[in-house]
Amino acid sequence: MRLQRQLSKIAGAIVLAAVCLSVAAPAASETRRERKKKAEKQFVIRDKRLGKKFNKIQELLDQEKTAEARRVLETINLEKIKPYPRALVHQTYALLAGQNDDFDKAIHHYQLAISENALQPQRILSIRFNLGQLYMMQDQWPKAIETL
């Protein structure tokens, strides 16, 4: 009888623990989902006109129309946009400068893109890799090593 009571208490404790975990798990996952959504929103361009310009720039670059892409890029007022799209503009300027063998300008714009502190970590790593390559092309080995 005594053993039966103890087993009953243990079973009750297990059921209680299971109920607590089943209630806590969705709450924890909702929090995780909310955090993920919030992080994703940080890397979204909310201004529709600006988003259209970025789409147009990407379309022109895909068609290798770099001069036209640059003209659209130059219509963006850097002082009036948020850090994330500003960093993307600098990254695009760097890409265009690199394609024109203007490595100093490319380096400058990549540095500005990073300095905005608004890009995703994987994008920053990609930019740092590009910077390192540009430094190597200019025989700036210490900077290349530091960057990479």
Side-chain angles (χ1 to χ4, degrees):
M1 189 92 156
R2 189 173 195 188
L3 180 62
Q4 194 175 11
R5 275 191 232 149
Q6 286 178 339
L7 289 175
S8 180
K9 284 182 182 180
I10 291 172
I14 290 172
V15 170
L16 180 62
V19 169
C20 288
L21 287 174
S22 68
V23 171
S29 65
E30 286 175 7
T31 304
R32 203 174 317 132
R33 245 184 268 133
E34 289 171 359
R35 281 188 298 226
K36 186 176 179 183
K37 262 186 164 180
K38 187 176 179 180
E40 288 171 355
K41 284 181 182 179
Q42 181 180 359
F43 302 115
V44 173
I45 298 172
R46 292 193 179 104
D47 182 328
K48 288 182 183 180
R49 285 184 291 166
L50 186 59
K52 286 180 182 180
K53 285 184 181 184
F54 272 109
N55 288 338
K56 182 66 174 174
I57 291 165
Q58 186 59 53
E59 181 183 306
L60 292 168
L61 290 174
D62 289 344
Q63 297 170 6
E64 298 182 15
K65 298 179 178 179
T66 55
E68 291 177 41
R70 178 180 290 283
R71 281 194 290 276
V72 175
L73 194 61
E74 289 170 347
T75 65
I76 299 172
N77 184 345
L78 292 175
E79 294 175 6
K80 292 187 176 186
I81 60 176
K82 294 184 183 239
Y84 177 67
R86 190 168 39 243
L88 293 179
V89 168
H90 285 300
Q91 185 180 12
T92 308
Y93 272 127
L95 173 74
L96 293 173
Q99 288 177 349
N100 290 327
D101 294 335
D102 190 348
F103 302 131
D104 289 330
K105 195 174 206 173
I107 288 170
H108 173 71
H109 281 287
Y110 277 137
Q111 289 171 336
L112 288 173
I114 291 172
S115 72
E116 289 293 335
N117 292 321
L119 297 172
Q120 303 96 323
Q122 67 271 16
R123 190 174 290 247
I124 291 172
L125 286 174
S126 174
I127 290 173
R128 289 181 62 85
F129 181 76
N130 292 342
L131 266 173
Q133 288 181 317
L134 289 168
Y135 287 136
M136 285 189 275
M137 292 173 75
Q138 293 186 323
D139 293 326
Q140 296 182 31
W141 300 105
K143 285 185 177 181
I145 292 168
E146 180 184 327
T147 301
L148 295 172

